[in-house]
DNA sequence: CGGCATCCGTGACGATACTG
DNA sequence: CAGTATCGTCACGGATGCCG
């Protein structure tokens, strides 16, 4: 026995207060990853880009995250200035988390990741969870060339979501860039299936082409709907 | 002894073969993070964007990564199609890792992260490591409006690196988007300090403005150097 | 019921030593 | 030089408990 300690190894833990893990590199990318590189953090941002959400809603739409990790991430993100916690008025005894402006600034990061990941998404595996609004990020790429601004409601097999488009995705009005479920007021609605939605995100064809051969159906009368039809 | 097992808890380990950890979500962003969301992976990509590197070079420019984690990541990335391992011709008994085209496709992701991280980089902490080419990604943002193509050598306090610009960052010729050290053939050279370089990455002012008031010095005679001077 | 905190087993990580 | 082996520590995932 006595696996004779091979080294004194008595080096103190250095009295590190709590030391959040950092890459300790003077590099913009590394600093960004210090903030959002932890597991689940960017997916929490993806959820919050849909607008303010409660803890339980976040937990429901992030299958696999454990309760303590979610709570811990939200705390870290609040301290890091990515999210704020807002207590709802008395009737509803609950609080919601929402992105700060800094947190919203991660949209290009999420969009770049979605664009890179779209070609490799493959088929849906039996163990894969799905939510309709997860298709919003890839789709935004196909919609960001629109000149008219407004809200587009998107109907997929999995459910529906809505996105704000046009106006260079102007200043947020407190709501998200996209949202789950139907929109309060939609300027147009499109109906398509997952495959077509992902192919649009991959840039395999344009929205106008997809509308033309019937893979995407456009409902609505306004100028935004007209532009979606390629008119 | 016998800390009496408190529960049957006999649920088999399910005979999982090895199961790389996945978010198991049918979502382009989550799939992307399945590939590059692990700690250190994106920073390895940052290094390899500078061109093919050997294991030891990677280890030297990624302070803090342990040898086994680096080896494991490179193996995962090779299996994931992000990098290839190439054995150098006999004289040099070594092998290098280089990005595949798919791996190069992560440049927009790294650029978005760098742009988001640049405003928050703060001051250099005593524990922070630095490498000159870590400033390349933020700087690319300030250079991507150039119309002339070529190689710009950048001289900072920390050292020098070079970037390929123009031509919409055309097809790669096997080398990186940027590289450490001086360029084999540079069309122009700029001299500036870290602060100015990061401010350019934050978009606080344009390169032409910085040249005008002397915060950036441009050396060279060709058309690219002329454009850098704002002529 | 929402919002966590606690406990526990497993795996990932970081440091160092060692080997072909 | 290019990793592999070993080991201690911490983070993660799952279940459960607590508390307003």
């Amino acid at each position: 026995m006595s696996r004779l300690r091979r080294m004194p190894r008595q080096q103190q833990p250095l009295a590190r207060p709590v030391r959040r893990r950092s890459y300790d590199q003077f590099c913009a990318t590394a600093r960004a990853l210090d903030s959002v590189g932890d597991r689940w953090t960017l997916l929490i941002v993806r959820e919050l880009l849909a607008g303010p959400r409660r803890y339980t809603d976040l937990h429901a739409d992030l299958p696999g995250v454990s309760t303590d990790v979610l709570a811990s991430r939200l705390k870290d993100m609040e301290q890091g200035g990515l999210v704020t916690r807002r207590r709802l008025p008395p009737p509803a005894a609950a609080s919601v988390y929402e992105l700060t402006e800094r947190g919203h600034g991660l949209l290009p990061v999420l969009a770049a990741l979605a664009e890179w990941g779209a070609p490799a998404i493959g088929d849906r595996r039996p163990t894969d969870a799905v939510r309709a609004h997860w298709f919003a990020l890839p789709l935004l790429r196909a919609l960001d060339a629109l000149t008219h601004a407004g809200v587009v409601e998107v109907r997929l097999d999995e459910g529906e979501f809505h996105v704000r488009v046009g106006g260079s995705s102007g200043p947020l009005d407190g709501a998200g860039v996209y949202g789950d479920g139907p929109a309060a007021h939609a300027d147009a609605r499109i109906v398509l299936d997952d495959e077509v939605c992902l192919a649009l995100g991959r840039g395999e064809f344009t929205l106008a082409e997809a509308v033309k051969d019937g893979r995407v159906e456009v409902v609505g009368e306004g100028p935004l709907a007209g532009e979606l039809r390629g008119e």
Side-chain angles (χ1 to χ4, degrees), chain A residues 42-81:
Chain A
L42 282 175
L43 293 185
I44 294 172
V45 174
R46 177 196 67 187
E47 294 304 311
L48 291 178
L49 280 173
R53 312 293 291 271
R54 292 180 304 179
Y55 178 92
T56 308
D57 299 330
L58 288 173
H59 190 257
D61 279 349
L62 291 169
V65 72
S66 59
T67 58
D68 55 350
V69 168
L70 178 56
S72 168
R73 289 292 182 279
L74 287 170
K75 211 159 291 180
D76 292 345
M77 293 167 75
E78 191 176 357
Q79 173 153 7

Side-chain angles (χ1 to χ4, degrees), chain A residues 19-101:
Chain A
R19 180 146 100 101
R20 288 223 2 91
R21 178 153 46 167
S22 162
Y23 286 111
D24 282 334
Q25 297 185 359
F26 190 63
C27 162
T29 310
R31 284 283 203 275
L33 291 172
D34 280 342
S35 284
V36 301
D38 281 339
R39 193 164 165 74
W40 292 109
T41 300
L42 282 175
L43 293 185
I44 294 172
V45 174
R46 177 196 67 187
E47 294 304 311
L48 291 178
L49 280 173
R53 312 293 291 271
R54 292 180 304 179
Y55 178 92
T56 308
D57 299 330
L58 288 173
H59 190 257
D61 279 349
L62 291 169
V65 72
S66 59
T67 58
D68 55 350
V69 168
L70 178 56
S72 168
R73 289 292 182 279
L74 287 170
K75 211 159 291 180
D76 292 345
M77 293 167 75
E78 191 176 357
Q79 173 153 7
L82 302 185
V83 308
T84 56
R85 183 181 172 173
R86 184 160 51 89
R87 190 152 280 279
L88 295 179
S95 55
V96 292
Y97 296 89
E98 57 187 339
L99 289 179
T100 61
E101 192 177 333

